[in-house]
Amino acid sequence: LPIGTTINSGQTTYYIEQVLGQGGFGITYKVTATFKFGKITQKGSFAMKEHFLSEYCERESTTNRMQFSAPVKNKVDESLRDFIAEARRLNTLDHPNIVAVNEVFEANNTAYYVMEYIEGKSLRHYIENHGILTEEQALTVITPILNAVSYLHNNRMTHLDIKPDNIMMRTDENSEDLVPVLIDFGLSKHYDEQGRPTSTIRIQGCSQGYAPVEQYLGINNFSPTADVYSLAATLYYLLVGEDPIIASELNQEGLASSLPSSLSEHTRNAICNAMHMAKAKRTQSVAEFAKA
């Protein structure tokens, strides 16, 4: 959408400030909105994600409405329904280390959801600027994210794209401590009690170094171990300052030897077990990884 565009949700008018990111499934913007509290007018910043399948859709230049041809209508409609369902599901989550989703609405022949805008830098950016962390520092950063992902799994959701780029470091307003927050749920999935996905979203994605080998083939049932692998890979990055090698080329001996020699044996073993190539031999839950 052009900078300066306004979108009304029915409750709030949002102004497009800038594009934060885009992919084949959608576009994320920084937006602002103005609110009145009694006699006080206050402007706030938010992140807003737009459903936009770049392969099939285009934007009408004068109205900004999303357009697509008749042959792809079913595919776009199905994707839109899933986008709305997933957004509403995210809206029900309430965890201090998961980005908050505030509003889901339809406009411009598509749908949007509004999230908190986190002032800060990604975990990757933090490490690039401050250097690798000690074991104690790394565990302090990763532990709240472990709790957040465990909360997701208890709600039958997997994130499937945990990596340093998708963890923002926010400054706590009271303590001024840095707080890690998990963002970007573009690949996340929800599952029923039988472990089957409740949406029909077929978008597959893999972040090299952070996705287990089975994710490259497509994960079609509830699989917490995929997130366990990504969490361990993220902890690896905090300690080493480099991305792990791609899962298909990883071996236990090479992984163990690439970790700092000063690392405690239990943390070294925890990372290696959580990043085992074989899904059945891998650490099976976030709680088990945290305990290790």
Side-chain angles (χ1 to χ4, degrees), residues 209 229 244-252 254-255 258 275-277:
Y229 185 102
I245 63 173
I246 190 170
S248 59
E249 300 176 6
L250 197 67
N251 64 72
Q252 294 293 290
L255 177 61
S258 66
M275 293 183 68
H276 202 291
M277 182 186 293

Side-chain angles (χ1 to χ4, degrees), residues 25 51 77-92 101 104 106 111-113 157 188 190 198-201:
F25 188 63
H51 176 261
D77 286 348
E78 181 182 80
S79 177
L80 180 63
R81 286 195 300 271
D82 287 344
F83 178 90
I84 293 170
E86 292 293 337
R88 287 175 175 161
R89 203 167 279 119
L90 290 173
N91 179 244
T92 67
V101 173
V104 186
E106 296 182 58
Y112 302 83
Y113 64 86
M157 292 183 70
S188 68
H190 179 263
T198 57
S199 68
T200 53
I201 292 175

Side-chain angles (χ1 to χ4, degrees), residues 52-69:
F52 193 90
L53 295 181
S54 59
E55 185 178 352
Y56 305 111
C57 301
E58 56 186 30
R59 203 181 303 278
E60 206 282 323
S61 59
T62 57
T63 65
N64 291 322
R65 283 175 61 82
M66 188 179 72
Q67 295 181 320
F68 45 86
S69 61

Side-chain angles (χ1 to χ4, degrees), residues 95-205:
H95 192 283
N97 303 102
I98 295 176
V99 64
V101 173
N102 197 50
E103 186 177 15
V104 186
F105 65 95
E106 296 182 58
N108 295 332
N109 200 33
T110 186
Y112 302 83
Y113 64 86
V114 180
M115 302 166 280
E116 63 176 319
Y117 176 73
I118 301 173
E119 293 280 2
K121 301 294 184 180
S122 71
L123 188 50
R124 179 181 296 279
H125 187 275
Y126 182 83
I127 296 299
E128 288 174 347
N129 283 270
H130 294 84
I132 61 173
L133 304 182
T134 66
E135 180 174 357
E136 183 181 1
Q137 290 170 333
L139 295 178
T140 298
V141 169
I142 205 69
T143 296
I145 299 299
L146 296 182
N147 293 335
V149 178
S150 183
Y151 171 80
L152 279 181
H153 292 174
N154 289 339
N155 283 274
R156 309 294 296 178
M157 292 183 70
T158 49
H159 187 279
L160 300 179
D161 200 18
I162 300 166
K163 56 185 178 182
D165 313 77
N166 286 340
I167 297 172
M168 296 295 291
M169 300 301 287
R170 175 177 59 197
T171 302
D172 184 89
E173 293 180 358
N174 298 316
S175 66
E176 296 191 356
D177 291 338
L178 289 176
V179 178
V181 180
L182 186 62
I183 65 167
D184 198 343
F185 283 73
L187 296 180
S188 68
K189 275 183 172 287
H190 179 263
Y191 304 82
D192 62 19
E193 291 298 326
Q194 286 72 47
R196 298 171 301 204
T198 57
S199 68
T200 53
I201 292 175
R202 297 185 179 88
I203 291 178
Q204 302 288 353

Side-chain angles (χ1 to χ4, degrees), residues 209-217 219 223 225-226 228-230 232-233 244-256 269-284:
Y210 296 91
V213 66
E214 70 270 15
Q215 194 167 339
Y216 289 83
L217 302 174
I219 294 175
S223 184
T225 58
V228 170
Y229 185 102
S230 302
I245 63 173
I246 190 170
S248 59
E249 300 176 6
L250 197 67
N251 64 72
Q252 294 293 290
E253 288 185 8
L255 177 61
N269 291 337
I271 292 173
C272 291
N273 291 335
M275 293 183 68
H276 202 291
M277 182 186 293
K279 180 180 175 181
K281 295 182 179 180
R282 193 179 306 147
T283 306
Q284 294 295 296

